Amino acid sequence: MRLWFYLILIIYTFLNWLIGRQLYELLKTNKIAFWVVFLVLAYSPVLGRLVYKGFEPIGNYWMVFFYYATFVAVLGLLVKNKPFITGCYLLIFLVILYGSVNANKIKVQRYEIAIPKLATDLRIVMLSDIHIDNAKPEGYVEKMVREINLLNPDLVVLPGDIFDDKDIHVLSKEREALKNIKAKYGVYGVLGNHEYYTGNLNESLKIFKEANITILRDEVVEIAGIYLVGREDASRKRKNLASLLEGVHKEKPIILLDHQPVALEEAKIAGVDLQLSGHTHRGQFFPNQLITKRLYEVDYGYLAKEQLQVIVSSGYGTWGPPVRIGTQSEIVDIQVKFKK
């Protein structure tokens, strides 16, 4: 692991050197001042986590700048056209500005699905990948709760990454706001990979309990005539789905919460009717969605596999850079109609 870390650090340093060299040639400013500022910016993601949290917002934006600037720096080795390269960097700044604004626009993504089993119709509101932490703007959770309650849900589900990996010490006001989610049959969730990254899972579980959010960890509950199943995250050791569903009456609807949109074939064979997932963020910013599309059978939206229906959300929040380009922050509003 240490070898991989040093290898990644060497590659990261080399790419930043290419970017810095190119920017210096464009700006032609004081050499020492330029490289001091540039090095602070380049290593702000590390400084924010290991030295001082004040570097964290800078580091988040630097990572998305670095992502796009790497392409420009490599292109600059082939294209020796200063106005063109300058234009590319100006475009990066405009794209990041757009992405910052776009990340705060929450879309309500609606689905209407039918499950051929007897039960009372449900309105399910799903929010994945909320990533609550101290870096989020004041009122982030309160606004989210208002948006949920406006949809008047029967059931609210939170399929993982409710908290971010940096910390879970949300302000007491935000913790109180979580208690105000209103749903006829309650609020249920599962853990994502980031809940484990906090290193303080017990504190997360305490906050969920205070907020009346029931976390299902390889558990099944029966509510409103359906079975709601919650799995541990795929990154952890978890029960086989078939054994988890032992004793479940398959004539009743089975809805599965699984943070990552994986093991779809397993869910289909086990008789699951609807799987709700997140995790992918749909890549969060272009062209990452081209990668997630290849990594997952469905990285976003709706998929049907015989009786199994799958809905994957791009997420309510963002991780790392508070930027969305080519993707949308969303609340998922699902009208589920049951009929025999």
Side-chain angles (χ1 to χ4, degrees):
M1 287 296 292
R2 186 174 293 181
L3 182 63
W4 275 109
F5 171 77
Y6 287 128
L7 180 60
I8 291 168
L9 186 61
I10 289 168
I11 294 170
Y12 178 73
T13 300
F14 172 71
L15 292 173
N16 270 296
W17 175 75
L18 284 181
I19 295 166
R21 189 183 67 167
Q22 191 176 68
L23 284 173
Y24 176 72
E25 288 301 317
L26 294 175
L27 296 173
K28 287 294 184 184
T29 185
N30 181 278
K31 192 171 187 177
I32 294 174
F34 170 84
W35 282 107
V36 168
V37 172
F38 184 85
L39 286 171
V40 170
L41 290 172
Y43 288 97
S44 58
V46 178
L47 294 172
R49 286 187 176 259
L50 301 181
V51 180
Y52 173 57
K53 279 188 175 292
F55 285 110
E56 205 167 274
I58 300 169
N60 285 336
Y61 278 106
W62 180 263
M63 286 310 297
V64 69
F65 172 79
F66 167 79
Y67 184 84
Y68 290 122
T70 297
F71 292 104
V72 178
V74 173
L75 183 63
L77 297 175
L78 305 172
V79 180
K80 306 295 184 182
N81 186 313
K82 189 173 180 178
F84 175 74
I85 298 300
T86 303
C88 287
Y89 278 107
L90 288 174
L91 182 61
I92 289 174
F93 283 114
L94 290 174
V95 165
I96 292 174
L97 179 62
Y98 160 78
S100 300
V101 174
N102 187 50
N104 293 313
K105 294 180 179 178
I106 309 298
K107 175 185 178 182
V108 178
Q109 180 63 48
R110 291 186 165 87
Y111 297 91
E112 186 171 311
I113 68 169
I115 295 176
K117 293 181 178 179
L118 286 176
T120 304
D121 291 351
L122 283 175
R123 185 174 199 173
I124 301 174
V125 169
M126 171 172 75
L127 291 89
S128 74
D129 305 278
I130 304 167
H131 290 283
I132 300 169
D133 64 17
N134 284 335
K136 295 294 187 291
E138 186 178 352
Y140 176 76
V141 175
E142 290 173 305
K143 177 176 178 288
M144 178 191 78
V145 171
R146 285 196 302 273
E147 290 168 334
I148 293 171
N149 292 341
L150 280 172
L151 295 173
N152 194 26
D154 295 313
L155 178 67
V156 172
V157 295
L158 310 174
D161 283 4
I162 302 162
F163 292 117
D164 201 71
D165 63 335
K166 294 186 293 298
D167 58 66
I168 56 169
H169 305 296
V170 290
L171 302 174
S172 57
K173 185 169 64 173
E174 308 284 35
R175 293 172 77 146
E176 283 299 313
L178 280 174
K179 298 177 184 178
N180 296 325
I181 299 175
K182 293 180 173 59
K184 185 176 181 181
Y185 298 112
V187 185
Y188 292 82
V190 293
L191 301 175
N193 51 309
H194 281 260
E195 269 83 23
Y196 286 101
Y197 295 162
T198 64
N200 197 350
L201 182 59
N202 289 336
E203 181 67 17
S204 295
L205 294 172
K206 180 183 174 184
I207 295 172
F208 292 136
K209 188 174 181 180
E210 287 175 357
N212 298 312
I213 298 170
T214 302
I215 298 296
L216 302 175
R217 304 180 67 186
D218 281 344
E219 295 174 90
V220 182
V221 293
E222 188 174 354
I223 51 172
I226 67 163
Y227 289 109
L228 185 64
V229 185
R231 298 194 78 180
E232 283 280 10
D233 184 59
S235 64
R236 317 299 293 184
K237 185 178 180 180
R238 61 183 187 174
K239 288 182 182 177
N240 177 280
L241 188 55
S243 64
L244 186 57
L245 294 178
E246 282 180 7
V248 165
H249 301 292
K250 298 293 179 70
E251 69 274 8
K252 292 185 177 182
I254 301 171
I255 297 177
L256 171 66
L257 305 182
D258 195 348
H259 175 60
Q260 301 187 41
V262 295
L264 303 187
E265 191 67 21
E266 182 187 6
K268 185 189 78 174
I269 293 169
V272 172
D273 297 294
L274 175 62
Q275 176 171 328
L276 302 176
S277 299
H279 181 66
T280 70
H281 290 226
R282 203 186 184 186
Q284 194 163 310
F285 48 87
F286 182 83
N288 290 335
Q289 49 266 64
L290 303 178
I291 299 170
T292 58
K293 201 172 181 65
R294 286 187 168 275
L295 288 176
Y296 300 95
E297 188 173 356
V298 54
D299 71 320
Y300 175 73
Y302 174 86
L303 174 73
K305 285 173 68 72
E306 297 180 12
Q307 95 290 343
L308 173 66
Q309 300 180 77
V310 183
I311 294 175
V312 181
S313 173
S314 59
Y316 181 86
T318 57
W319 178 76
V323 170
R324 278 194 181 270
I325 301 163
T327 67
Q328 193 71 47
S329 298
E330 66 178 23
I331 294 177
V332 181
D333 181 15
I334 310 166
Q335 294 282 354
V336 186
K337 297 186 178 298
F338 299 98
K339 54 186 178 182
K340 200 70 172 174

